[in-house]
Amino acid sequence: MEFTGATISAPFGCRALRGGGPLRTPGWGADGRRRRVSSGPGAEQWRSWKVSCVATEKPEEKAAAAAGLGVDFADEEDYVKGGGGELLYVRMQATKAMDSQSKIASKLLPITAETSVLDLIIIGCGPAGLSLAAESAKKGLTVGLIGPDLPFTNNYGVWRTNSKDTVVYLDRNKPIMIGRAYGRVQRDLLHEELLRRCHEAGVTYLNSKVEQIIESPDGHRIVYCEPDQKILCRLAIVASGAASGKLLEYEVGGPRVCVQTAYGVEVEVEHYPYDPSLMVFMDYRDCFKEKFSNPEEENPTFLYAMAMSSTRIFFEETCLASKDAMPFDLLKKRLMYRLDAMGVRILKVYEEEWSYIPVGGSLPNTDQKNLAFGAAASMVHPATGYSVVRSLSEAPRYASVISDILRNRVHSEQYLPGSSQGPSPSMLAWRTLWPPERKRQRSFFLFGLALIIQLDNEGIQTFFETFFRLPKWMWRGFLGSTLSSVDLMLFALYMFAIAPNKLRMNLVSHLLSDPTGSAMIRTYLTL
C-alpha cells in the first residue's frame, strides 16, 4: 500500500555494528570499583560495539548530533539504557532545539571555583533533577546542579481529573471508554516552573558533564567534571537518567532491561478519523498482518492519538515493551502504514519525536554512598514506562529526608529498632526511595512486564480486554500506581478469575517458569 500525504524525512538510520569504539571496559567504574556486568556478550565482544549511522538528508543535523555523541557506558545494560542501537535517534531527541525554554545558565547563578563545600550536588537537569534541587534548597541546603544545559524535549502524559475522556480500541468490537481524563503536560511550562523554583530557592548551576564521584578522606564527595573541574559537597545525588552506570552501582543478577520505544509526529491533517473530543489511549487493532510478517517485526504496537484541535493531531506508534528495542524506523513505517489505511492525509509536520524508555532492570545497590533519584534510581514504572509524576511527587519527601540526614536529625534507630549499629546516612536515604513495600510492588510489575513481552497481538488484546473488565478501582489504580502490594495480589486473583482459559494457562505457566515469578514470590515472603 502506498503512503499518501506528506513524507516525513528520517534524518538518520542507526544500527549497532562491530569494529571498535570508545566504550569503557565493562565491569569497572571510573573510580576503580567493581560493578555489575550483565549477562550477554563477553567483554571483548561488548567492547567492539559502537554506533554507526547511514547517510542523512540533513548534514547539519548529523554533524550536530554526532558532536554530542561523546558518551561511554559502564556495561552492556548501561548501553541498552542509553539507547543501544537507537542511540543516535535518542541523542537527536535530547538535543532538539526548544527556543521557548530558557537556558538554565541564564536563570541560575554559577557554581564557581571559589564555591565552598556544598551541602548537596544533584547531577542531571531533567524533571527529576530540577524538582529535587528546588525542594532541597527550600529546606535551607546549599544545592548545586550539574549537567548539560538541555531543554525538556519529550512529551509527558498524565492522568487528570478534568480533560478529554479516554478511549481504547482492542479489536473490531465496541471501543472501551476509560471514564478518566488523560492529558499532555506543557513541557515548556514545566521546565520554566521548575527553573523558577530553583532560582527562588538559590540553586547554583554548572553546565558540565560529570566523570566520577569519589569520597575524600574527610568524608566529603569530590565530583569531577569536564574539563578538569572538581566540586566538593557533603552528599551527591545522581539524577541523570537511566544510563548512569558510570556513577552508580546496581544489583547483580537482576532482571534484564527491556525497552519501550515510540515514534511520534505532531501534524496537520486533512481529516481526523477519531472523535477529537476523546483521547485515544491505545488502538491495538492490527492492520499489519500482511505488511509486517517477519519474526523480528511481529511485536505488537498500538496507536496513541491526541487532538490539539480538529486537524492538528499528535500521533504516536508505540511498542509497550520488548526485549530488544523495536527500531524507530520500523515504528515510523508502521505509523505511516496505519495512518494511510485509515485515510489520514498529512498536510504539515510540526515535530517528530523518538521516545526511548528503559523499563525493568536491576535496582541500585543500597549500600553505596552515592545516591540517585528518578530514572537513575530505577523509579520508572516497569509495566507502563511512567516516571515523571512519581519523581515530582516524591521530591518534597526525599528532600526532607536528605535535609534531616545532613542536619543530623535522623538516627538509625528510627529505621532499625533495637539495632546497636545502624545503617549509614546514605543507606537511610536509599530506604526512603525503596522501602520493602515499594520493592514488593516493583516485583509484581516486573512479573507483568515479563509476561507482556511474550504476548503476540492477539494475546495482548486478550490481556487488555481482561484488564479493563476488572473493577475500575483496580485498573485505574494500576495505571496510576496507587495500588498497594496487597491490592496487587487481589488484582492478580481477580484477573485470573475472569480471564479466558488460554490467558489463565499463560499466567500459570509464566508464574512457574519465568524467573520473575519466583523472584516475586520471594520478595513478597521475605520483605
Side-chain angles (χ1 to χ4, degrees):
M1 184 179 294
E2 296 295 325
F3 297 151
T4 58
T7 299
I8 302 174
S9 64
F12 294 95
C14 305
R15 57 186 181 271
L17 295 183
R18 305 287 172 85
L23 299 178
R24 185 181 303 280
T25 303
W28 293 94
D31 53 5
R33 290 181 294 175
R34 185 70 182 172
R35 299 186 189 277
R36 176 213 60 237
V37 178
S38 302
S39 59
E44 292 305 315
Q45 185 181 14
W46 159 246
R47 291 182 65 192
S48 69
W49 285 10
K50 68 177 183 179
V51 172
S52 176
C53 305
V54 301
T56 175
E57 296 177 354
K58 301 181 180 180
E60 69 281 6
E61 290 184 2
K62 179 177 180 180
L69 283 175
V71 292
D72 56 1
F73 300 97
D75 55 24
E76 182 195 356
E77 182 170 303
D78 207 43
Y79 169 74
V80 173
K81 288 179 178 179
E86 303 299 303
L87 178 61
L88 195 48
Y89 280 118
V90 173
R91 296 296 296 170
M92 283 177 53
Q93 175 67 24
T95 56
K96 286 195 299 190
M98 305 292 290
D99 296 336
S100 54
Q101 296 182 26
S102 301
K103 285 291 186 180
I104 301 174
S106 71
K107 298 293 185 179
L108 304 185
L109 293 175
I111 300 174
T112 64
E114 293 75 28
T115 301
S116 59
V117 178
L118 295 167
D119 289 325
L120 179 66
I121 284 180
I122 295 174
I123 301 157
C125 304
L130 285 175
S131 60
L132 184 59
E135 294 295 334
S136 300
K138 283 167 58 177
K139 300 295 181 183
L141 302 178
T142 56
V143 178
L145 183 69
I146 302 177
D149 197 343
L150 296 174
F152 292 176
T153 59
N154 290 330
N155 285 298
Y156 307 115
V158 293
W159 294 105
R160 300 181 59 184
T161 55
N162 53 353
S163 185
K164 299 179 179 180
D165 200 356
T166 309
V167 63
V168 170
Y169 297 88
L170 297 176
D171 53 27
R172 302 300 173 183
N173 294 326
K174 186 177 179 180
I176 299 170
M177 300 302 300
I178 300 298
R180 189 177 182 187
Y182 192 84
R184 187 170 72 169
V185 173
Q186 291 286 345
R187 58 193 171 185
D188 295 346
L189 296 180
L190 176 63
H191 183 270
E192 298 305 295
E193 174 62 21
L194 292 177
L195 201 51
R196 181 190 66 80
R197 294 181 186 182
C198 286
H199 170 74
E200 292 182 351
V203 176
T204 53
Y205 174 65
L206 176 63
N207 182 4
S208 182
K209 179 182 176 182
V210 173
E211 286 297 312
Q212 61 177 325
I213 307 168
I214 65 173
E215 185 175 11
S216 65
D218 61 2
H220 290 144
R221 306 290 190 272
I222 306 176
V223 180
Y224 286 88
C225 309
E226 295 180 348
D228 300 324
Q229 290 180 282
K230 60 181 181 181
I231 312 295
L232 292 176
C233 64
R234 298 172 62 195
L235 205 57
I237 299 180
V238 180
S240 52
S244 297
K246 285 177 58 181
L247 305 176
L248 296 169
E249 299 174 0
Y250 291 82
E251 293 177 350
V252 176
R256 174 178 174 172
V257 171
C258 297
V259 182
Q260 179 184 116
T261 48
Y263 171 79
V265 286
E266 187 165 334
V267 295
E268 194 76 26
V269 299
E270 193 173 72
H271 167 69
Y272 183 51
Y274 299 104
D275 182 347
S277 67
L278 301 176
M279 187 271 167
V280 180
F281 187 58
M282 292 190 301
D283 187 342
Y284 261 116
R285 289 176 293 186
D286 188 4
C287 59
F288 308 122
K289 290 180 180 178
E290 296 180 1
K291 184 70 176 179
F292 304 102
S293 57
N294 294 332
E296 64 271 18
E297 298 177 339
E298 289 182 350
N299 283 336
T301 62
F302 65 88
L303 178 67
Y304 168 108
M306 181 180 292
M308 307 293 109
S309 70
S310 60
T311 57
R312 183 165 176 164
I313 315 295
F314 179 71
F315 293 110
E316 194 164 61
E317 191 75 22
T318 302
C319 176
L320 185 58
S322 58
K323 291 180 180 179
D324 300 306
M326 179 173 283
F328 289 117
D329 286 343
L330 177 57
L331 286 164
K332 175 181 173 179
K333 289 177 183 177
R334 286 193 172 203
L335 177 60
M336 294 298 104
Y337 187 88
R338 187 192 293 272
L339 295 182
D340 193 76
M342 296 169 66
V344 175
R345 182 170 181 265
I346 296 174
L347 304 177
K348 181 180 180 180
V349 179
Y350 295 101
E351 182 183 2
E352 289 181 270
E353 178 178 74
W354 301 271
S355 175
Y356 186 99
I357 304 175
V359 290
S362 300
L363 286 175
N365 286 335
T366 55
D367 58 352
Q368 63 186 306
K369 293 187 177 180
N370 295 337
L371 301 178
F373 192 64
S378 302
M379 291 171 63
V380 178
H381 193 302
T384 65
Y386 295 156
S387 67
V388 172
V389 170
R390 180 181 173 189
S391 294
L392 296 178
S393 61
E394 291 199 17
R397 179 170 176 265
Y398 195 46
S400 294
V401 171
I402 297 299
S403 175
D404 287 345
I405 288 173
L406 290 174
R407 297 178 188 281
N408 297 316
R409 293 174 182 165
V410 175
H411 303 285
S412 60
E413 289 78 8
Q414 290 180 241
Y415 291 79
L416 293 178
S419 173
S420 59
Q421 184 175 3
S424 68
S426 296
M427 190 178 295
L428 298 180
W430 278 116
R431 291 185 181 183
T432 300
L433 280 185
W434 287 108
E437 171 65 6
R438 279 285 190 189
K439 290 184 177 181
R440 285 190 290 268
Q441 293 169 329
R442 188 173 192 269
S443 69
F444 185 92
F445 296 142
L446 289 171
F447 174 79
L449 170 64
L451 173 66
I452 286 173
I453 62 176
Q454 296 176 7
L455 299 177
D456 58 15
N457 201 75
E458 181 181 352
I460 209 159
Q461 286 178 341
T462 302
F463 176 88
F464 280 114
E465 285 172 357
T466 307
F467 178 87
F468 287 113
R469 286 170 52 208
L470 293 168
K472 285 186 177 180
W473 70 269
M474 281 189 176
W475 59 258
R476 287 182 177 179
F478 185 93
L479 293 176
S481 301
T482 60
L483 298 182
S484 69
S485 58
V486 175
D487 292 335
L488 289 171
M489 285 294 99
L490 295 175
F491 171 99
L493 292 172
Y494 205 117
M495 189 150 182
F496 183 81
I498 66 174
N501 287 334
K502 185 176 180 179
L503 180 56
R504 285 180 182 174
M505 292 174 61
N506 283 341
L507 288 169
V508 172
S509 173
H510 185 62
L511 179 64
L512 297 178
S513 63
D514 195 272
T516 59
S518 57
M520 178 180 64
I521 293 172
R522 288 195 306 271
T523 303
Y524 266 75
L525 293 178
T526 59
L527 290 178

